[in-house]
Each structure stands twice: as C-alpha cells, then as structure tokens.
Amino acid sequence: MTLYEGKKGCAYKVRDMLMEEGLMRRLQALGLNEGTDVRLLNRKKKGALILSVRGTRLAVGRHISEHIEVEPEEDER
Amino acid sequence: MKQDRHIHVAFVGNPNCGKTTLFNAVTGAKLKVANWPGVTVEKFEGNIEYEGYQIKLVDTPGIYSLSCYTIEEQVTRKCVLDDDIEAIVNVVDASSLERNLYLTLQLLELGKPVILALNMMDIVKERGMEIDLHRLPEMLGGIPVVPVSAAKRTGLDILLHAVVHHYEEGPKENVMDYGPELEDKISRLEVMMQARYPSHAMTRWHAIKLMENDEQVAGEHPMEITNVVDRSYEKEIIQKKYQYIEEVVAETLFHKERMAAGTDRVDRLLTHPVWGVPMFLCIMALVFFLTFAVGDFLKGGFEVALGWISDGARALLTAASASDWAISLAVDGVIAGVGGILTFLPNIFILFLALGILEDSGYMSRVAYVMDGIMGKVGLSGRAFLPMILGFGCTVPAIMATRALETEHDRRKVMVITPFMSCSARLPVYVLFSEMFFPENPMLPAFSMYVIGLVLAILVALAMNRLEKGRINDSLLIELPEYKRPNPRTIRVYVWNKLKDYLTKAGTTIFVASILIWFVLNFGPQGMVAQTADSFGAMIGKVLVPVLAPAGMGMWQIAVALISGISAKEVVVSSFSVLFGVSNANSAAGMQTILDNIRAVDPSFGALNAFCLMLFVLLYIPCAATIGTIKKESGSLRFTLGLMGFWLLFAWACSTVVFQIGSLLF
C-alpha cells in the first residue's frame, strides 16, 4: 500500500520510495528512508497529511505520499 | 598560537533550530526570528570580541543537508565551504536530535572545526527526555558539545570559549565508517584528489560528494572517476548516516518516546480536515479586528500631541517672522504629510504585535498545510501561502520569503499576487476612507479589502495556472514545529523593528514625498500660486482625469495622490492631508475637512467612489521599495516592468467594473 492510503493514527514502515531524484533526496535528508518508521498524525480526505518521522512532524502533499510504499506496523501505542 | 587573533565562524543548522536567536543573543543583533522554517533566507554577519579574539559570526539560512536542492542550501553551502570560515557552530535542536544530527555528520566530514551548540535543552527537560552529554561528543569524534538556551541566553560564554579553543585545536579524525565497499571507493577517490589537486583541504568531503554524483563538486574539480564511481551512491550514503545516527540516539537519548502531547492536541483543532480553513480565517479576522478596534482606541493621545506640534510650529514660525511659504512648507507640507501618517502608528503596532505572536507560536507552518488544498488547485504548494501572509505586514519581506519556494517559476507567480495582500501601509488609506464615507460601519469596507485582496490573489494565480495549462500542485513538504509560548523578547524585537521601519519611512520617503507634493501643489508655471487648481500638480492630475473617471475617481486630486502613492502607500493619505491642509487626517475634524473639500470639488463623490478608490489602492502598482525588491529577487527588469503594467491595468479594470456596475445598482 502507499502512504496516501494510510489511516490517521496508524504506524507504518517505509518499504520503497519512487519519485524524482531531487525530491527523494530531500525526503531522505529529512530522515525518510527505506525502513524508517512513520506515524500518520493527521490527514485531509484527499490531499496533504501530517507525519511523525524521527521525532519531528512533516506535512507532505499527495504527490509525495502516493509515491511512498509502506507496510502497516504493529501498533504499540 | 596564531598571529592574527581573528576567527571567522559560521552558525549552521536545520531550519527553525534557533540559529538566529542564538546569533542575536551572542552578537546583540536584532535579526528577525519566528517559529517556522525558512525565516532567514540570507546570510548575516556580526562581530564580537571575546578573550582577545575578534570573532566574526555569520548567520546562515537553515538547511537539512549540504546538498544543492534549494536556494537556502546553496547559500549556506557556499558559505561553509568558503576557506575564510575557520570554525562552524552547528546549532542543533536537542528536542529533535535524530534529524538534526544528519547535518552534523555532513559538517564533520568537511574536516573543519565543528562545535555543537545543543539548543532547546529546556524543552528536552520539560518533556522528560535526557541526553548523555558525555557519550554524545565521544560518538561525534570528540567535538565540543555545549548545551545552550538561545531564548534564555544561557551557555553562551561556554560556547564562545569552546569556539576559541576548538579553533586552536583543529579538527579531529573521521567519525563514521561507510563500510568496506564504500570506504574503499572513498579512499581511492581521495588519493586521486590529492594527486590532482594537492592543495585541496577537504578531500574526504569531496570524495563523498563525488560518490553522491554532486554536480557542483564534479564541475569544480573535474576528474575521470567512472572507473571508481559507476553510479550515484547517494542513497546508500544517506542510509549509512541515518544508521549511525540511530546508534548515536540509542546510546545518548533517553525517554524519547515521551512526545509533546500538547502540540498534538492543539493540532487536532487547528489542522482539522474541515475546520482548519475556517479556523485560519477566524484567526486572521481577529488580527484585523484588533488592529482596527484597539488601534483606534489608542490613537486619541496621538491626536492631541499632533495638534500641539502643529499649532506650536505655526506660532513659533510666525513669531520668528518666517515667510508665508516657509510656514506653509513646514505646517501644510511636512507636518501634515508626515504627522498624518504617524497617527496611524497605534494601528500598525497592534497589527505587527498580532502577526509577531502568530509567527512565533508555530502556527505558520500549519497554515501552509491547511491552505495546501486551495493553493494546490492554483498550481502552487501550500508553502507559497507563507509569503502571502507575511504580505499582510509588509510586501518587501514577503517577496524575500519567496526564496523558500521550490522553483523560480513558482517564485515569480507568488511575486505577482503577493502585493494583493493588504500591507500595513494600505491600512491608513482604508481607515481614512472607510471612516469618511462609511461612518455607520467603517470596519466592514476595510475588512472587505483584505478579503477581496486574498480572493483576487487566488483567482489571478488560478488564471495563470489555466493559461499555462499547469496542473494541480501537490508536492507540499514542510516541517511543522512544536507550538510554543511566544517569547516576549522575540516579539519585542520583531515589533520594534517594524515600528522603526515605519518611523524611518515616515522620516525619509514620506518626508521627501510630502515636500514634493507640497511643491507641486503650491507652485505653478507662474511661481507660487494661491489656488492649488493652478499648480503643476493640477496640470498633471487633469491629464489623467478622463482615464480615472470611468473608475469613479475623476478628480485631479486623486490622480496626484495615486501617483505620489507609488513612493509609499501611506503617501496617498499624506497627499490628501497636504492638498487640503489637514494636520491630522486620522481625527474627526481632519476627516471632516477632507470630506468637505472632496465634496466641494465633486458633490457626487460618495461611498461607491471611495470604495473604488480603496480597491484601486489595493491593486495598483505597489510601493517603490517592493518594486525594487522584485527587480532584485527576480533579476529581471522586463518581468518587473511587465508586472507594473499588469497591476495598473488590473486595478483600473477592477475599479471600473465595480464602479460601473455599482452605479447601475445604487
């Protein structure tokens, strides 16, 4: 599944990222890599969502979230 | 011991980690600080003396990485790579150590002395987290790690002490290992670098950048490397760094799971999928309500003082038997023009106080998220909305803030629409004409200007997007900081800077403009004239009357006011003050005088005409300072001139449509 299909409040692990080089590098520099754990804090029905990544919050648009392949994680919360 | 006791130090760190606050605290400078990423877009320098050293400090725009993907990254990277920079103070937000250390690892690879300033330790404590201050430096190659609080100004001396001493000690060995395969390639590249460019100081950094396929590094030091680097290893290098950071964090940071729940609670409301946009509009409405209501409440004192000064100056000059023209210049020209503007100071104060609190709270990034859907439809990311909000304060810093946008194309688009956000200089015009022509409900037309400006900005962006067949932009990417209680010191500096700008403008641009206006209104081809109708100003204005008449502004006095308003928007009000000899346009008596005079010239000039005038002032060519900034930031005279033409036509068209339709209805 992609991050865009994720549910609010759930945790995911990044499997793969497929997007333009420059954008992907910027996300990777922000700590969003293959294998990174993320949590979906908030989202709009169609559009941007707010992620918790490595202790910080990022707002990302649909273009980004649709191109990040994730798998659900056991929720420890 | 070095001979020259000068040290050149750069402050480098992630966006919004407190570099500028720290820079201000250390140097005593008063640079703008706010709680959203991307406030600093240019580097700033400051000098201090410490333990006999002359330290030259450079504040840089915040970056996440030493690559070249954004303007900020390019500016900062150029700065730290400069041979003049002898030491780097890496400012780190201790409350998000994991992400911040990524840049730290890159800075360490440069081989220059790095001092880690661990900022926001108070927040770390508040959240119940702990950082092992012994283990952390050990894992970062033995660099000094100094806990500081930029906001509370603690740890600054220790930091400077570390700068001076670490500078003398010089750099340490490599911090991290990329594994046998990558390290082998790196050392082979290093050997090649040393052979080809023997004087080069940062071979390891360059080797790693070559592995990442960094075009700039490859271009500056060309080498045949295809036998070593067959593809970009950037992904692996980034991942290795984060793997190492995970090790560091595991050993040095404790209780990190205790996240700030407060921010999440507030965000549930402010970034709500449905209520987010209405909440934003309510917050902005509150800001403007306070600006008008509280500002008006405060202005009483100003009126009295200005009356005294005006009467006193007239009496003094008469007693000194000054000539009539000198009295007229001082009282009707300078005091009317400049003083009239100063009476709006309370409104300006409240506006910037409110905007300052908003910027320091952490809400600004949320606005980018909340508005992303609407902005996306016009082909811009939600980030483009940040410069637009800044435009409510002043268009000049708003234009500068467009640097944070991804592409040059987006920047230009935002430059077209940002002046439609009513800046503080338009405020006096709105206040004056609303109160004169809408006495029952003056706040409504003034408010409507803010809303109309916002709506037109979005519509124009939409039209541009349609014209170029652009698509929906949905690649928003912005960090959302924690909410925090606004820092009184930060707000004070922010508001004081803005008031100072306003006063400076009153003392320079508006002062000169007032004298010029006085001159063109009191002199004609025959010398000094008794009736302004015979003056140069009237001659110029009358030429434009036929053009302005369809927009409901067919008075030569308005033409003069609008032309002079290009110097600064407040000058529109100054012009009316000088024209009708009013010393305080922002008082009941002053407004009555202006109103009587306007009615004397054109008895049919009513509320609709006033509304069209306000609309025209909102949309037509922005002030000279804005034009200069756009020219500088876009680097294109053609673009700037084209924009001026567009704004003028657009303003005229909008006012004309409103006036013609309005005339039919009322």
Side-chain angles (χ1 to χ4, degrees):
Chain A
M1 64 181 285
T2 67
L3 189 56
Y4 179 71
E5 296 157 339
K7 281 200 183 66
K8 182 177 159 182
C10 294
Y12 300 92
K13 189 185 272 296
V14 176
R15 274 281 136 252
D16 204 2
M17 297 163 76
L18 287 163
M19 60 190 84
E20 357 19 321
E21 183 97 359
L23 182 60
M24 183 151 67
R25 297 293 173 243
R26 283 173 59 201
L27 287 171
Q28 286 168 342
L30 284 162
L32 204 64
N33 292 289
E34 283 162 31
T36 306
D37 296 327
V38 299
R39 178 180 292 278
L40 235 167
L41 293 177
N42 205 344
R43 65 165 308 149
K44 297 181 188 173
K45 253 199 205 98
K46 288 179 185 172
L49 38 85
I50 301 179
L51 291 178
S52 163
V53 187
R54 297 183 193 270
T56 53
R57 289 177 185 75
L58 289 183
V60 299
R62 179 173 172 172
H63 172 69
I64 292 172
S65 61
E66 267 183 337
H67 291 90
I68 298 179
E69 197 68 32
V70 295
E71 64 182 41
E73 277 216 288
E74 283 303 307
D75 205 332
E76 71 278 11
R77 239 190 219 182
Chain B
M1 200 73 180
K2 293 241 173 165
Q3 285 300 309
D4 62 312
R5 290 165 71 82
H6 289 263
I7 318 179
H8 207 144
V9 182
F11 278 33
V12 184
N14 281 185
N16 212 36
C17 70
K19 287 175 301 300
T20 304
T21 312
L22 191 64
F23 181 83
N24 284 350
V26 172
T27 62
K30 290 188 167 56
L31 300 180
K32 182 186 168 177
V33 175
N35 186 17
W36 47 279
V39 182
T40 307
V41 288
E42 257 186 315
K43 59 175 194 173
F44 289 97
E45 296 191 349
N47 292 293
I48 50 158
E49 209 185 305
Y50 187 80
E51 289 183 359
Y53 284 86
Q54 293 290 329
I55 308 179
K56 189 169 174 188
L57 297 165
V58 188
D59 185 28
T60 61
I63 53 167
Y64 295 111
S65 162
L66 275 185
S67 40
C68 288
Y69 296 120
T70 63
I71 300 181
E72 287 106 322
E73 282 178 0
Q74 288 160 17
V75 171
T76 304
R77 172 160 148 170
K78 188 160 173 288
C79 175
V80 292
L81 289 182
D82 194 320
D83 289 335
D84 285 349
I85 297 291
E86 292 152 293
I88 297 167
V89 171
N90 177 205
V91 186
V92 161
D93 174 358
S95 64
S96 63
L97 193 61
E98 195 169 342
R99 219 265 326 287
N100 278 251
L101 284 179
Y102 177 70
L103 180 65
T104 309
L105 290 182
Q106 294 188 59
L107 291 172
L108 288 171
E109 281 166 357
L110 290 174
K112 291 187 177 189
V114 175
I115 297 98
L116 202 74
L118 215 46
N119 195 16
M120 313 212 187
M121 283 300 277
D122 36 347
I123 296 174
V124 171
K125 283 208 189 83
E126 240 169 65
R127 280 197 224 153
M129 301 194 301
E130 279 179 77
I131 294 175
D132 186 337
L133 291 174
H134 292 285
R135 190 66 188 122
L136 185 60
E138 275 174 20
M139 296 192 78
L140 295 175
I143 59 164
V145 173
V146 185
V148 297
S149 169
K152 292 182 183 149
R153 322 188 122 208
T154 54
L156 304 183
D157 270 324
I158 306 173
L159 179 67
L160 288 176
H161 193 79
V163 167
V164 169
H165 284 267
H166 200 63
Y167 158 72
E168 285 174 346
E169 279 169 29
K172 299 243 164 40
E173 78 288 356
N174 296 340
V175 173
M176 59 168 293
D177 193 299
Y178 288 97
E181 191 206 348
L182 294 183
E183 283 296 338
D184 172 57
K185 287 180 187 294
I186 292 170
S187 40
R188 277 164 67 193
L189 285 172
E190 276 196 87
V191 172
M192 288 165 72
M193 289 285 298
Q194 270 150 7
R196 182 81 182 267
Y197 304 102
S199 64
H200 201 284
M202 293 177 278
T203 47
R204 184 171 166 87
W205 186 78
H206 270 249
I208 293 169
K209 281 288 155 194
L210 286 174
M211 304 268 295
E212 291 177 354
N213 245 347
D214 189 289
E215 282 168 17
Q216 200 187 328
V217 165
E220 279 170 10
H221 295 86
M223 283 199 307
E224 184 49 55
I225 55 166
T226 38
N227 57 331
V228 185
V229 187
D230 46 344
R231 62 181 175 91
S232 168
Y233 288 86
E234 191 168 10
K235 185 173 142 188
E236 285 87 344
I237 289 172
I238 294 174
Q239 275 181 331
K240 285 281 180 194
K241 282 203 177 85
Y242 267 107
Q243 272 168 23
Y244 185 71
I245 291 169
E246 279 168 20
E247 281 174 43
V248 176
V249 168
E251 284 198 38
T252 60
L253 184 69
F254 301 99
H255 312 301
K256 76 161 181 166
E257 67 280 4
R258 289 194 210 169
M259 284 286 298
T263 292
D264 290 333
R265 256 199 316 275
V266 178
D267 264 351
R268 227 164 282 158
L269 190 64
L270 291 182
T271 61
H272 190 275
V274 178
W275 296 111
V277 176
M279 289 293 289
F280 164 68
L281 292 176
C282 284
I283 289 172
M284 289 321 283
L286 182 70
V287 167
F288 298 122
F289 173 76
L290 290 175
T291 302
F292 289 109
V294 184
D296 274 357
F297 176 72
L298 289 174
K299 80 182 181 195
F302 272 75
E303 287 180 16
V304 178
L306 196 71
W308 283 350
I309 294 172
S310 181
D311 294 345
R314 193 183 289 276
L316 203 71
L317 287 168
T318 313
S321 55
S323 55
D324 282 349
W325 71 265
I327 297 176
S328 169
L329 172 63
V331 178
D332 303 331
V334 175
I335 296 181
V338 177
I341 292 313
L342 291 183
T343 53
F344 291 94
L345 206 58
N347 302 88
I348 307 286
F349 169 75
I350 298 290
L351 175 68
F352 281 115
L353 185 67
L355 288 179
I357 291 172
L358 213 55
E359 282 195 51
D360 205 37
S361 66
Y363 181 59
M364 292 288 276
S365 300
R366 271 76 183 180
V367 178
Y369 168 76
V370 164
M371 295 299 286
D372 185 58
I374 296 171
M375 295 302 284
K377 289 195 182 67
V378 306
L380 290 167
S381 97
R383 247 197 129 115
F385 204 69
L386 295 190
M388 290 168 66
I389 305 181
L390 298 185
F392 283 130
C394 175
T395 319
V396 172
I399 299 287
M400 305 274 290
T402 58
R403 289 187 183 193
L405 297 179
E406 286 82 8
T407 66
E408 191 56 33
H409 180 251
D410 286 2
R411 283 193 75 194
R412 290 199 173 187
K413 258 170 106 170
V414 177
M415 285 183 200
V416 176
I417 57 176
T418 300
F420 293 165
M421 313 305 280
S422 295
C423 69
S424 62
R426 271 106 158 197
L427 194 71
V429 183
Y430 299 164
V431 171
L432 180 68
F433 282 90
S434 303
E435 291 192 8
M436 284 195 304
F437 288 93
F438 301 87
E440 309 84 35
N441 207 344
M443 225 182 266
L444 202 64
F447 261 164
S448 72
M449 285 300 136
Y450 286 88
V451 178
I452 291 171
L454 185 58
V455 170
L456 285 180
I458 290 174
L459 288 179
V460 168
L462 185 66
M464 282 192 283
N465 200 36
R466 284 280 157 81
L467 275 180
E468 60 193 22
K469 297 199 169 55
R471 43 174 214 96
I472 291 174
N473 182 325
D474 51 9
S475 51
L476 174 73
L477 177 56
I478 192 170
E479 188 185 351
L480 306 182
E482 299 278 328
Y483 287 108
K484 68 178 182 71
R485 200 176 304 123
N487 180 334
R489 205 192 146 73
T490 304
I491 304 285
R492 206 169 65 220
V493 168
Y494 176 87
V495 173
W496 170 239
N497 275 340
K498 297 294 181 186
L499 289 186
K500 210 168 62 185
D501 286 350
Y502 191 75
L503 291 173
T504 311
K505 190 159 62 163
T508 52
T509 312
I510 296 173
F511 177 77
V512 173
S514 298
I515 293 177
L516 282 176
I517 295 164
W518 175 83
F519 178 80
V520 297
L521 290 176
N522 284 282
F523 286 82
Q526 290 86 37
M528 196 162 177
V529 292
Q531 291 288 321
T532 49
D534 303 324
S535 66
F536 287 124
M539 289 166 60
I540 302 164
K542 278 170 187 160
V543 176
L544 293 172
V545 166
V547 184
L548 291 173
M553 300 182 291
M555 281 169 67
W556 67 261
Q557 289 88 342
I558 292 177
V560 171
L562 291 175
I563 294 172
S564 43
I566 296 175
S567 60
K569 282 290 138 68
E570 299 94 331
V571 173
V572 173
V573 171
S574 299
S575 300
F576 281 101
S577 306
V578 176
L579 255 166
F580 304 131
V582 177
S583 67
N584 182 359
N586 197 13
S587 67
M591 285 183 189
Q592 194 57 49
T593 314
I594 295 178
L595 192 58
D596 291 345
N597 274 295
I598 291 176
R599 290 261 157 82
V601 177
D602 181 2
S604 66
F605 196 94
L608 180 62
N609 302 66
F611 187 83
C612 289
L613 175 62
M614 283 158 67
L615 187 64
F616 193 85
V617 170
L618 165 67
L619 301 173
Y620 88 120
I621 303 174
C623 69
T626 300
I627 296 169
T629 311
I630 289 179
K631 163 74 182 58
K632 192 168 139 245
E633 293 293 311
S634 68
S636 164
L637 183 64
R638 221 178 114 209
F639 173 72
T640 313
L641 292 176
L643 262 188
M644 288 164 70
F646 164 73
W647 286 320
L648 198 57
L649 274 177
F650 188 66
W652 183 84
C654 288
S655 304
T656 304
V657 167
V658 171
F659 185 71
Q660 295 303 333
I661 294 175
S663 306
L664 291 177
L665 295 177
F666 302 112

